[in-house]
Amino acid sequence: MLINCVVYNDGRKQADIPLEEISAHLHQPGNFVWVALQDASEAELRAMQKQFGLHELAVEDVFNGIQRPKVEEYDEHLFAYLQVPAYHGGEVHIGQISIFVGPDFVLSVRQNCEQTLLGVRERAEREPHLLKYGSVYVMYALSDAVVDLFFPVVDALDDELEQLETAMFHNQETRKNMERLYDIKYKVNVLRHALLPLADGFNKLYGGRVPALVGDAENYFRDVHDHIMLLNSQLDSMRDTISTAIQVNLSLITIDHGEVNKKLAAWGAILVLTTIFTGIWGMNFKYMPELHWKFGYPLALLIMASCAVYLYRHFKKTGWI
């Protein structure tokens, strides 16, 4: 589905045009065309492939759905595949955006994406002095907007992790805590898999040998790369925290089990002692001491009760009961 198709000249918007008129504006001095599609059909992508001369392998990546995020160079064209995060209802949702860039065109294709990214076009049009860089600046603006979408998601997960760390020491729901920890770990890994490959991809766009299409815009891609590295650092730190929290939670479970075992052992010792007495006095030998003494039975009960009380007080004092 077509979102918009706009022609720009010297960094300024000229007009919205239908797809059929794209070829008339290509290869004109200072011109480039920006086409945005959402959930494009195969027919639409094939039409764009023919219109802009897109590489077959790059187009196949869009057809094949979820791919590993990357930035690739095809002859005079650049192709970037990024995953777009959204966070609501406690769940991380991942969409995709494919960006094709040539000397005089930009084609962005969003698939299963909940983020509109309409603000990127508005931002670019407010900065005609930067839009003069041409189509490659649009690639930067889109990439920068997508990467910036990760920050609120990472912050939300970090807040969730902090709340869980606090709750771990104030409730006894160890199993539930463990499930929540692994749920956060899964979400962090989803974000990490979406970001980590981009570090290498955008590293190709500044410093050293860069594609000719990038030109003087390489410093902008360095900024995107810095944001990616910062996010990866945050995610790595969260993974370490989660691993530590899991170990702490396991330790709390072990401690709880130890407390239960101590209580069972203490009560077992009390019962065993009384059982020993009753076992001995219950043998009923003919010449057993105090067997026919009228105070023998009360005395036996008193001794057993006294020993039980002594053991109870001792275990209570030591914290076993």
Side-chain angles (χ1 to χ4, degrees):
M1 178 177 67
L2 176 67
I3 302 300
N4 41 44
C5 177
V6 182
V7 60
Y8 296 86
N9 181 272
D10 198 27
R12 297 186 181 278
K13 179 179 178 179
Q14 299 301 301
D16 292 283
I17 60 173
L19 295 177
E20 295 75 16
E21 296 182 12
I22 289 178
S23 57
H25 296 276
L26 296 178
H27 312 300
Q28 300 295 325
N31 271 17
F32 76 88
V33 177
W34 182 353
V35 181
L37 302 177
Q38 180 176 353
D39 297 321
S41 65
E42 182 174 352
E44 288 175 317
L45 283 174
R46 290 301 182 189
M48 292 297 97
Q49 179 184 10
K50 183 178 180 180
Q51 186 75 256
F52 297 126
L54 305 178
H55 198 282
E56 179 68 23
L57 293 177
V59 175
E60 286 298 326
D61 283 341
V62 182
F63 288 145
N64 292 335
I66 297 178
Q67 301 285 327
R68 187 174 186 268
K70 57 186 175 181
V71 178
E72 294 180 335
E73 183 181 4
Y74 293 99
D75 300 325
E76 295 183 352
H77 301 164
L78 288 175
F79 171 68
Y81 181 89
L82 294 85
Q83 294 184 350
V84 186
Y87 186 77
H88 52 79
E91 296 296 328
V92 175
H93 302 269
I94 296 293
Q96 301 85 41
I97 182 170
S98 302
I99 307 171
F100 299 86
V101 183
D104 51 6
F105 74 88
V106 177
L107 170 64
S108 62
V109 183
R110 288 185 286 122
Q111 303 283 101
N112 304 315
C113 187
E114 299 182 13
Q115 305 286 358
T116 64
L117 300 179
L118 293 176
V120 178
R121 188 181 293 273
E122 296 173 0
R123 168 193 171 185
E125 291 177 354
R126 288 196 306 266
E127 300 173 332
H129 60 291
L130 297 177
L131 205 53
K132 287 182 179 180
Y133 284 109
S135 55
V136 73
Y137 177 75
V138 176
M139 177 183 176
Y140 153 73
L142 286 169
S143 303
D144 185 55
V146 169
V147 171
D148 284 349
L149 289 173
F150 282 87
F151 282 102
V153 180
V154 171
D155 289 341
L157 290 180
D158 194 33
D159 290 341
E160 186 178 346
L161 181 57
E162 287 183 3
Q163 293 172 8
L164 180 54
E165 284 183 292
T166 302
M168 282 172 50
F169 296 97
H170 293 86
N171 64 42
Q172 301 299 317
E173 300 175 342
T174 51
R175 181 182 180 88
K176 185 176 180 180
N177 292 338
M178 188 68 77
E179 291 175 352
R180 290 181 62 191
L181 282 170
Y182 272 94
D183 181 56
I184 296 174
K185 184 177 181 180
Y186 168 76
K187 296 172 187 175
V188 167
N189 284 335
V190 168
L191 296 179
R192 189 169 179 271
H193 292 157
L195 279 168
L196 193 59
L198 291 180
D200 290 334
F202 280 91
N203 191 46
K204 303 174 185 176
L205 302 182
Y206 74 90
R209 186 265 174 195
V210 298
L213 189 60
V214 172
D216 296 331
E218 61 178 286
N219 287 330
Y220 294 97
F221 291 107
R222 178 186 287 111
D223 180 67
V224 176
H225 183 267
D226 289 344
H227 288 178
I228 293 171
M229 296 305 294
L230 176 60
L231 286 165
N232 280 326
S233 177
Q234 288 182 266
L235 292 174
D236 287 341
S237 177
M238 289 178 64
R239 291 180 75 207
D240 292 340
T241 301
I242 292 169
S243 296
T244 302
I246 289 174
Q247 294 301 317
V248 170
N249 200 55
L250 290 173
S251 298
L252 291 174
I253 293 174
T254 302
I255 291 172
D256 289 341
H257 287 174
E259 292 297 321
V260 172
N261 290 335
K262 286 195 297 183
K263 291 178 180 180
L264 291 174
W267 285 111
I270 294 172
L271 293 175
V272 165
L273 183 61
T274 55
T275 302
I276 291 173
F277 284 127
T278 55
I280 293 174
W281 284 322
M283 290 187 290
N284 295 323
F285 288 111
K286 182 177 180 180
Y287 298 104
M288 189 172 184
E290 291 87 30
L291 186 62
H292 300 288
W293 184 38
K294 66 177 181 180
F295 297 111
Y297 182 66
L299 179 63
L301 291 178
L302 179 62
I303 292 173
M304 285 190 289
S306 299
C307 291
V309 169
Y310 170 77
L311 287 177
Y312 177 82
R313 293 182 64 183
H314 174 72
F315 287 131
K316 188 74 173 179
K317 184 179 180 180
T318 56
W320 281 44
I321 293 179

